[in-house]
Amino acid sequence: MISWLSSRHNRSRIFGWVSLVMSFAAVQALVQVLSILTGFVLVRHLTKEDYAWFTIASGMTAGLSILADSGIGSAVTSLAGSVWENGKRLADLMAAALCARVRSSALAVVLLLPTTFYLLCRNHAPVLTAVVITVLVVLPLGWVTRISVLTVVNRMHHRTREIQIAELAAASSRSVFTILPTVMGYGSAIVAMGAMCVSHWFQARMVKRQVEPLLVHGAAMPDEEDFAPRIRRIMRQMLPSCLFVAFQGQLSIMLISVFASNSQVADLGALTRLGIVFTIAGAPMAQLVPPRIAKCQSARRLGWMIGLVAGAYAVFASGVLCLIYFESGWFLWLLGPAYAHLHHELLLVTVAASLGGMNSAMWCMNFARGWTRYAWLNVPVSLVLQVVGVLVFRVDTVAGVAMMVIVVCSGQLLHSVGVAICGLRSVFRQTSKKIYS
């Protein structure tokens, strides 16, 4: 390691990475500050009943996004690594991915739309309110999927400035359309979800304009390979995992919505707002790391890159957890007096969020390399741990749900690390064969 760092070229590479990540993180921090400000305004101004409905709706929105993607974003990232310099082939890849999203989006709506409506009604939302919120949950689905697919073009061309502008514009529009009505006394779950729809629409239009000059549209050549079968193959491999992650990721909200009261749903939703600090660390990894992982041709360098990313996230998460352990009152003050008693629950929810973020970072790198062969194991591993968690912990309390999520995320993290190790071994074996052949 010391000899590797003694090289001036290697030191320059590290400094370049650090400066790039820090500049991206600075803008991402501003985006998250806007999101945090918006979230805290909602927490402080909405009634617990209204905030419980918003918690359910925002959770279902995240689940719909995962189901609508169904591995398309990961497939595009892994396939774009070999064609990103060819504008025509890159355009063909984007077209194939956008066609594939139609079928996956339909599946997402069929599965989660009734669930959203039921949970809202279960938590005493009037029928008309439940219908409007459910429509607002589904409405931005196409825009969210388009953003996920087309942003890959910017990532592959290392256009971090364009990515930052689009995300900052979306966060700004959402903050304006949420905060102004709320502080004027017109805040509600419907207003908050409507603002979210506007921000997704705005970001989708902006991203499309950004990537259009990089794509060359035209008729496909007879000798060019069709991307659609390869995308479908990766989607089939990842669909069981995506189906499970979409429901498992919202399992805590679902359980507490069914078995607990409106007040506890609001408590869990408010505490998860503080977990957004991990998004600041995860965003540079999600935007900057996968394209480099996908294009890396050196087995040794690939191993170092994965290790450095995992280590950096672990250090960041440890610092956040220490701060919350010793000064939880600072964070609870932001949520307001209605949530000031949740010291123990805050620590548990933050531990769960840190483990989930680490697991997501590992899977981002695995998917970037197309290491999806053992992705299906995520389902049985998580199912077993969830059954254990439901049997052992009280899922009608915030603390019990958080403990269950910690157990599940720990098992998932071990699985994702195992997949990465297996993938690195295969890369090293292929490199060895090329050397000795």
Side-chain angles (χ1 to χ4, degrees):
M1 179 66 179
I2 295 177
S3 60
W4 188 81
L5 288 174
S6 63
S7 169
R8 184 175 182 180
H9 173 69
N10 291 334
R11 290 198 305 272
S12 300
R13 183 187 301 170
I14 290 178
F15 292 146
W17 262 85
V18 171
S19 61
L20 181 62
V21 170
M22 291 301 294
S23 63
F24 193 93
V27 177
Q28 191 62 36
L30 179 57
V31 171
Q32 295 308 321
V33 166
L34 291 173
S35 298
I36 291 171
L37 179 62
T38 303
F40 289 155
V41 167
L42 290 174
V43 171
R44 283 179 167 270
H45 287 79
L46 294 186
T47 64
K48 274 202 165 184
E49 188 176 57
D50 236 329
Y51 194 76
W53 300 338
F54 174 71
T55 298
I56 294 170
S58 58
M60 292 302 103
T61 300
L64 277 169
S65 299
I66 295 172
L67 273 183
D69 182 83
S70 293
I72 296 174
S74 300
V76 171
T77 299
S78 61
L79 296 175
S82 58
V83 301
W84 67 278
E85 294 179 298
N86 187 329
K88 171 64 174 60
R89 297 295 288 148
L90 191 59
D92 293 341
L93 175 59
M94 294 299 112
L98 291 174
C99 288
R101 76 183 178 127
V102 176
R103 187 177 302 174
S104 61
S105 296
L107 174 64
V109 171
V110 169
L111 290 177
L112 285 185
L113 187 145
T115 305
T116 304
F117 184 76
Y118 166 74
L119 291 178
L120 289 169
C121 291
R122 173 69 178 74
N123 283 268
H124 314 297
V127 174
L128 181 59
T129 300
V131 169
V132 174
I133 293 176
T134 303
V135 170
L136 292 175
V137 167
V138 176
L139 185 61
L141 188 57
W143 303 323
V144 171
T145 311
R146 182 177 291 272
I147 293 168
S148 173
V149 171
L150 295 182
T151 300
V152 174
V153 179
N154 280 333
R155 292 179 190 167
M156 286 295 167
H157 286 270
H158 308 302
R159 303 176 77 200
T160 56
R161 182 173 176 272
E162 284 74 10
I163 295 173
Q164 292 171 340
I165 290 173
E167 291 190 349
L168 186 59
S172 300
S173 62
R174 184 190 172 197
S175 297
V176 169
F177 288 110
T178 301
I179 294 175
L180 286 181
T182 302
V183 297
M184 292 171 64
Y186 298 103
S188 67
I190 293 176
V191 170
M193 293 304 299
M196 190 180 296
C197 290
V198 171
S199 68
H200 288 316
W201 171 80
F202 190 60
Q203 186 177 3
R205 287 182 59 86
M206 182 171 289
V207 172
K208 183 179 179 181
R209 290 184 179 182
Q210 289 174 347
V211 303
E212 278 295 331
L214 303 175
L215 304 177
V216 180
H217 299 280
M221 301 298 292
D223 58 338
E224 290 181 342
E225 183 181 4
D226 187 11
F227 287 111
R230 299 170 68 182
I231 292 176
R232 287 196 295 268
R233 177 179 60 82
I234 295 177
M235 287 178 65
R236 283 194 298 268
Q237 291 177 337
M238 295 182 61
L239 182 59
S241 179
C242 288
L243 279 168
F244 186 73
V245 169
F247 283 95
Q248 185 269 334
Q250 312 311 318
L251 182 63
S252 58
I253 296 296
M254 292 180 181
L255 286 174
I256 208 163
S257 297
V258 172
F259 295 107
S261 64
N262 260 355
S263 178
Q264 288 176 311
V265 175
D267 289 344
L268 181 60
L271 291 177
T272 54
R273 283 285 164 191
L274 296 175
I276 203 171
V277 295
F278 294 105
T279 308
I280 299 175
M285 297 179 188
Q287 300 286 0
L288 303 176
V289 174
R292 288 165 172 78
I293 294 287
K295 292 186 287 187
C296 183
Q297 302 299 318
S298 169
R300 185 177 180 183
R301 184 184 175 194
L302 180 63
W304 275 113
M305 288 172 66
I306 293 176
L308 284 172
V309 170
Y313 189 94
V315 170
F316 178 83
S318 299
V320 173
L321 289 172
C322 288
L323 186 59
I324 287 179
Y325 180 79
F326 291 107
E327 297 295 345
S328 60
W330 294 353
F331 297 90
L332 293 174
W333 174 83
L334 295 172
L335 300 179
Y339 307 96
H341 61 287
L342 301 172
H343 294 272
H344 178 60
E345 290 84 353
L346 172 61
L347 181 60
L348 293 177
V349 169
T350 307
V351 170
S354 64
L355 292 172
M358 185 68 173
N359 183 53
S360 298
M362 291 302 303
W363 278 117
C364 277
M365 294 185 285
N366 289 337
F367 291 153
R369 295 296 301 187
W371 295 338
T372 59
R373 182 179 177 184
Y374 299 107
W376 64 273
L377 283 172
N378 185 54
V379 176
V381 168
S382 300
L383 275 175
V384 171
L385 293 174
Q386 284 173 359
V387 171
V388 172
V390 169
L391 293 175
V392 173
F393 304 109
R394 290 186 58 186
V395 294
D396 59 344
T397 65
V398 175
V401 169
M403 286 298 299
M404 186 200 69
V405 174
I406 289 172
V407 171
V408 174
C409 289
S410 298
Q412 291 175 335
L413 179 57
L414 290 175
H415 173 231
S416 63
V417 171
V419 170
I421 292 173
C422 291
L424 283 171
R425 285 180 176 176
S426 66
V427 172
F428 276 104
R429 282 197 298 268
Q430 292 173 2
T431 304
S432 299
K433 288 180 181 179
K434 290 180 181 179
I435 293 175
Y436 292 108
S437 60

